[in-house]
């Protein structure tokens, strides 16, 4: 029996050591989450305008055109993570004057952990020191990703010299290039279907989270700009009127009950055209410049 246990240990030990080595090596690959944390660790007290939210902001607002701003949004980032980022640097927002958050068609109806992008939750836990769940798999790269994905990342970084950073120095997602645009008609129908909720179970929680964000801002005398992101007509035409109207009416109530909030509906803004979109609900670099310059104007109104 002792020999059997010994053989088992001798067999398992190298696997464990290899897994630990892989974990360490993967965590050393630079990525957007680690970059944004590092930036805010060192510069949160210099930021005057903070952009939060999901991919609509990540790809849609370039702080290059907005003085003293930083884009802390990310793909599928829901209100709970927006709130945690605000709280994490709560005492460091010494110059923060404006928080900008998108309230889009899907914002009240889903959260990262309940989406197809749920695997991204581990990145907040590992690289941002933000943990809103308690799933053990989200504490390691090895357990949260498929082996072939991890091997590919190791190969690309350590042998090809690539990394996982796709954002600019100020947090803007620069990879949605106009030259690589998607079919706007097909992507509109697909995205609208993906964003249309089967139920409203997440609505009360998300509304409460947004209320907490607003309360945080009010406590620190920070103004909040809420907006609905511009989208191409093929996306808008496939939206559920009930879900959209509920979202818009909810924002209207918030807008009238808080003096620190200003809301702008840019969903069908006529200044955005086909050439501004990467796909039907995301802007490319041309549209991002346009929205960023527009945001400067909107911020001057609150």
């Amino acid at each position: 029996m002792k020999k059997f246990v010994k053989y088992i240990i001798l067999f398992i030990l190298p696997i464990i050591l290899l897994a630990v080595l892989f974990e360490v090596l993967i965590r050393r690959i630079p990525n957007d989450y680690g970059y944004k944390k590092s930036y805010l660790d060192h510069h949160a007290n210099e930021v005057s305008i903070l952009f939060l939210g999901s991919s609509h902001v990540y790809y849609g607002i370039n702080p290059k055109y907005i003085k003293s701003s930083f884009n802390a949004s990310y793909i599928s980032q829901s209100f709970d993570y927006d709130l945690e980022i605000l709280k994490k640097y709560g005492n460091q927002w010494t110059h923060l004057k404006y928080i900008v958050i998108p309230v889009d068609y899907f914002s009240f109806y889903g959260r990262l952990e309940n989406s197809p992008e749920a695997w991204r939750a581990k990145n907040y836990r590992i690289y941002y020191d933000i943990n809103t769940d308690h799933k053990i798999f989200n504490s390691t790269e090895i357990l949260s990703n498929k082996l072939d994905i991890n091997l590919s990342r190791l190969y690309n970084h350590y042998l090809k010299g690539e990394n996982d950073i796709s954002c600019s120095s100020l947090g803007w997602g620069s990879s949605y290039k106009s030259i690589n645009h998607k079919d706007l008609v097909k992507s509109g129908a697909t995205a609208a279907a993906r964003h249309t909720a089967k139920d409203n179970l997440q609505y009360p929680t998300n509304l409460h989270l947004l209320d907490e964000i607003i309360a945080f801002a009010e406590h620190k005398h920070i103004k909040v700009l809420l907006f609905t992101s511009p989208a191409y007509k093929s996306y808008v035409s496939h939206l559920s009127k009930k879900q959209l109207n509920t979202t818009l009416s909810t924002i209207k109530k918030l807008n009238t009950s808080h003096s620190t909030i200003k809301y702008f509906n840019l969903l069908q803004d006529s200044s955005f055209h086909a050439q501004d979109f990467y796909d039907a609900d995301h802007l490319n670099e041309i549209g991002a410049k346009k929205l960023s310059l527009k945001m400067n104007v909107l911020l001057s109104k609150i």
Side-chain angles (χ1 to χ4, degrees), residues 28-260:
R28 289 183 177 178
I29 301 173
N31 63 71
D32 288 341
Y33 297 89
Y35 175 80
K36 292 195 175 193
K37 177 185 180 297
S38 178
Y39 184 94
L40 292 175
D41 284 347
H42 296 92
H43 301 288
N45 60 350
E46 301 168 16
V47 175
S48 295
I49 304 167
L50 182 70
F51 296 97
L52 294 168
S54 65
S55 57
H56 287 173
V57 171
Y58 179 62
Y59 295 111
I61 295 181
N62 187 350
K64 170 184 175 181
Y65 303 105
I66 305 168
K67 187 177 180 181
S68 302
S69 68
F70 184 72
N71 190 332
S73 68
Y74 209 69
I75 300 164
S76 296
Q77 184 169 292
S78 42
F79 289 144
D80 47 344
Y81 287 98
D82 291 336
L83 179 61
E84 290 303 316
I85 291 171
L86 286 172
K87 288 162 59 178
K88 181 176 179 64
Y89 299 97
N91 294 326
Q92 294 172 250
W93 302 122
T94 52
H95 286 81
L96 190 59
K97 296 179 180 179
Y98 304 99
I99 296 170
V100 180
I101 300 180
V103 184
D104 291 314
Y105 174 68
F106 53 82
S107 297
F108 288 120
Y109 295 89
R111 293 171 65 185
L112 177 59
E113 283 84 357
N114 304 112
S115 76
E117 302 286 333
W119 61 271
R120 295 183 183 277
K122 56 94 177 175
N123 292 321
Y124 291 92
R125 186 169 182 174
I126 296 173
Y127 302 107
Y128 235 130
D129 294 331
I130 291 174
N131 181 24
T132 63
D133 70 358
H134 302 285
K135 297 176 182 177
I136 189 170
F137 283 4
N138 284 340
S139 63
T140 71
E141 287 280 11
I142 295 297
L143 294 177
S144 59
N145 264 332
K146 293 180 179 179
L147 179 60
D148 60 333
I149 293 176
N150 283 329
L151 289 175
S152 177
R153 293 174 67 195
L154 289 168
Y155 174 80
N156 289 337
H157 179 65
Y158 291 102
L159 294 181
K160 296 176 65 177
E162 300 174 0
N163 61 48
D164 293 338
I165 293 181
S166 59
C167 68
S168 70
S169 61
L170 293 174
W172 169 61
S174 58
S175 59
Y176 276 12
K177 305 290 187 183
S178 54
I179 194 171
N180 299 320
H181 70 87
K182 305 296 183 181
D183 185 305
L184 295 182
V185 175
K186 290 182 179 179
S187 63
T190 302
R194 185 173 66 250
H195 294 160
T196 299
K198 295 179 181 179
D199 54 56
N200 62 352
L201 296 178
Q202 297 294 327
Y203 177 89
T205 299
N206 283 321
L207 178 56
H208 176 70
L209 287 165
L210 185 55
D211 278 333
E212 284 198 60
I213 291 172
I214 294 168
F216 177 95
E218 289 179 336
H219 178 70
K220 292 186 173 293
H221 307 290
I222 300 168
K223 294 181 179 180
V224 179
L225 189 156
L226 302 178
F227 76 103
T228 299
S229 309
Y232 191 64
K233 58 186 178 182
S234 61
Y235 176 79
V236 178
S237 65
H238 285 88
L239 301 181
S240 158
K241 290 184 179 180
K242 180 180 180 181
Q243 182 173 321
L244 180 60
N245 289 337
T246 300
T247 296
L248 296 178
S249 64
T250 300
I251 307 171
K252 185 177 180 180
K253 289 178 183 177
L254 289 171
N255 194 36
T256 55
S257 59
H258 295 275
S259 59
T260 55

Side-chain angles (χ1 to χ4, degrees), residues 6-19:
K6 181 179 179 181
Y7 287 139
I8 291 295
I9 293 173
L10 290 174
F11 175 75
I12 293 177
L13 188 58
I15 297 175
I16 295 174
L17 292 175
L18 187 62

